[in-house]
Amino acid sequence: MAVSVLVGSQWGDEGKGKIVDLLSNSYEIVARYQGGANAGHTVEIGDKKYILHLIPSGILRENVICVIGNGVVIDPIALLDEISFLEGQNISVKDRLFISQNAHLIMPYHKLLDSISESGKNKIGTTGRGIGPCYIDKYARKGIKINDLLHPEVLERKIRENITEKNLLLKNIYHHEELDVDEIIKSYLEFDAKIDQYIKDVPSYLNQAIKEGKSILLEGAQGALLDVDFGTYPFVTSSHPTSGGACTGTGIPPNKITDVIGIVKAYTTRVGEGPFPTELLDATGEKLRAIGNEFGATTGRPRRCGWYDAFLVRYSAMINGIDSVALTKLDVLSQFEEINICTGYEYNGKLLKSFPTDYERLSSVKPVYKTVPGWNKDISDCESYTDLPQATKEYLNIISEESEIKITIISVGPKRAQTFFVS
Ligand code: GDP
Ligand code: IMO
Ligand code: MG
């Protein structure tokens, strides 16, 4: 049975939520493997719109079990809010949601330190959800884990130790008010009572499920170019959205993964700071943003928009080992007379052979474009590949060839039904 990894192939917001919801019809378990409430995954079903930040988008299918893996950093406030939002929509998470005992907890000081470091001059444009500071503590071996909720005395000791250190930093370096340790301990003990029921030994659960022949979809958040190692460092998130992160973030070994599905947007967007070679800072970029409704699902920030970058997607396909692609938001390009596709970058007058992730080169490359005619026709009601205009098919052929990808799913609108498989 399939154990598939689904990854964002660009800078996030490719439409992962919509495609996870669509595909989860054919999987028994959906598991998130990294990131935290920095994600905003949108699913539109009928006239209802759901934005999920922590819980996998598979939760909207009542037969699907959802899992949050150890690679995810969990903000208990965001988690409990999301659970009550879903229950308010008559979507029960009881016995359908499991959380790894090894996932780390976002603490109030993580969010505070995130906002303090973003107020300085080396801004990343984070979502302010405490992601970076939480992963810092994880790798510094000071983190507080879901496991610790099960042992109140350990939880209290660890919170006290952490806050003593953070208060020194807040007071002496940032000249900020100190944190009230007792209040924080009290609130985390209260979370414990609400979260205990979801805690699970996730690696054992998932590996047993594989033994029993169950199918699993591993849902990535963010995108490959935001990966802390393979992305456009330092303008990245602090985890591994790339497919490798699915193993370390859940406990499923690499030889059990059957395939990798890349979600690719028909143009490019980015939120926050950092180089973006095909960015359009003119009326065309504004048109993409308006038609594509490119505003952050988590922070509401306007997304930066630009042409499709085949050089970037080719790199992403290589790093992730993408077997098949779901191409989203193709309908957004319908109102453009001409469309540009970036096929490579020029740097110091020479064509680069491989994708440069370093700031110095990426911020000064010149994208090389192939210009193709648009199709000037609404495609949002197309139900199959054959329904698409010839010019759209040509656009798809060029991007597949230049990016070295195989497009198997096409999305022409935000709704579940606005999707078809390419045979
Ligand atoms: P994610 O973070 O990758 O799940 O993506 P987001 O939910 O942040 O952003 C994608 C946005 O595009 C959402 O508002 C979706 O409802 C919307 N969307 C997804 N697929 C399509 C599509 O094919 N066409 C259009 N017009 N909108 C889409
Ligand atoms: P989904 O899952 C787009 C970006 C932020 C910032 C950088 C670091 O919805 O695709 P962080 O808060 O993670 O420390 O911010 O990463 N970022 C995203 N951009 N989509 C996301 O998630 C993102 N999550 C983080 O804008 O540039
Ligand atoms: Mg998003």
Side-chain angles (χ1 to χ4, degrees), residues 11-13 16 38-41 124-127 131 221-222 226 236-237 271-272 301:
W11 274 296
D13 303 326
K16 296 176 291 295
N38 49 350
H41 297 171
I124 302 290
T126 72
T127 59
I131 305 298
Q222 288 81 51
L226 288 172
V236 293
T237 191
V271 200
R301 290 179 290 177

Side-chain angles (χ1 to χ4, degrees), residues 139-326:
Y139 289 100
R141 294 160 292 180
K142 292 176 180 164
I144 298 175
K145 296 168 70 158
I146 288 282
N147 236 347
D148 297 324
L149 292 175
L150 300 171
H151 308 283
E153 66 299 339
V154 177
L155 179 71
E156 180 167 345
R157 176 180 51 80
K158 285 194 171 181
I159 295 181
R160 279 195 195 284
E161 282 169 7
N162 270 283
I163 294 191
T164 305
E165 190 189 286
K166 302 300 186 231
N167 273 344
L168 281 173
L169 193 68
L170 286 170
K171 189 173 156 212
N172 299 319
I173 308 285
Y174 298 122
H175 311 296
H176 192 282
E177 201 182 314
E178 292 179 60
L179 294 161
D180 180 342
V181 65
D182 294 314
E183 197 186 303
I184 294 174
I185 290 171
K186 186 168 163 274
S187 60
Y188 276 73
L189 287 172
E190 281 166 14
F191 295 140
D192 168 41
K194 295 180 184 154
I195 290 175
D196 267 8
Q197 58 180 308
Y198 304 109
I199 304 177
K200 192 126 189 131
D201 171 357
V202 164
S204 301
Y205 172 73
L206 291 177
N207 282 287
Q208 181 60 29
I210 294 173
K211 260 191 200 155
E212 290 167 10
K214 292 196 172 132
S215 52
I216 304 175
L217 181 62
L218 298 158
E219 173 180 349
Q222 288 81 51
L225 276 294
L226 288 172
D227 186 286
V228 69
D229 277 309
F230 299 109
T232 51
Y233 192 88
F235 301 99
V236 293
T237 191
S238 302
S239 67
H240 293 290
T242 44
S243 56
C247 293
T248 53
T250 58
I252 296 180
N255 60 353
K256 294 290 188 291
I257 305 287
T258 56
D259 63 313
V260 180
I261 304 161
I263 313 301
V264 176
K265 199 183 276 197
Y267 48 97
T268 316
T269 61
R270 164 160 219 176
V271 200
E273 310 296 315
F276 179 176
T278 64
E279 182 170 21
L280 291 162
L281 295 164
D282 56 8
T284 312
E286 270 166 37
K287 188 170 163 184
L288 273 174
R289 185 178 310 116
I291 302 173
N293 192 21
E294 294 295 354
F295 295 89
T298 297
T299 58
R301 290 179 290 177
R303 294 176 182 150
R304 299 158 63 190
C305 297
W307 294 120
Y308 183 82
D309 189 340
F311 195 45
L312 176 152
V313 175
R314 201 191 316 159
Y315 165 72
S316 181
M318 173 184 80
I319 292 300
N320 287 299
I322 293 174
D323 297 297
S324 63
V325 159

Side-chain angles (χ1 to χ4, degrees), residues 109-133 136 174 234-238 271-274 299 301:
Y109 45 82
H110 293 140
K111 289 192 259 189
L112 180 60
L113 291 168
D114 194 356
S115 84
I116 291 175
S117 74
E118 284 289 285
S119 59
K121 65 175 168 48
N122 293 327
K123 201 170 165 253
I124 302 290
T126 72
T127 59
R129 298 298 187 267
I131 305 298
I136 289 175
Y174 298 122
F235 301 99
V236 293
T237 191
S238 302
V271 200
E273 310 296 315
T299 58
R301 290 179 290 177

Side-chain angles (χ1 to χ4, degrees), residues 20-30 43 45 50 52 55-66 86-87 89-98 205 416:
V20 169
D21 167 65
L22 178 89
L23 294 179
S24 54
N25 200 19
S26 11
Y27 290 86
E28 286 149 284
I29 300 169
V30 179
V43 183
I45 305 167
Y50 305 86
L52 295 151
I55 299 177
S57 309
I59 201 75
L60 304 175
R61 304 253 185 199
E62 63 181 6
N63 297 326
V64 171
I65 303 282
C66 287
L86 289 167
E87 302 214 305
Q89 306 287 317
N90 288 326
I91 298 164
S92 171
V93 303
K94 195 172 172 337
D95 302 325
R96 295 182 53 216
L97 176 67
F98 300 127
Y205 172 73
R416 252 185 200 171

Side-chain angles (χ1 to χ4, degrees), residues 358-373:
D358 57 291
Y359 177 82
E360 284 65 30
R361 283 186 300 162
L362 196 61
S363 54
S364 54
V365 295
K366 188 169 164 278
V368 176
Y369 289 114
K370 200 174 250 185
T371 304
V372 298

Side-chain angles (χ1 to χ4, degrees), residues 377 379 381-389 393:
K377 188 176 179 293
I379 57 165
D381 56 358
C382 287
E383 290 176 356
S384 70
Y385 180 77
T386 43
D387 286 350
L388 292 173
K393 290 180 184 159

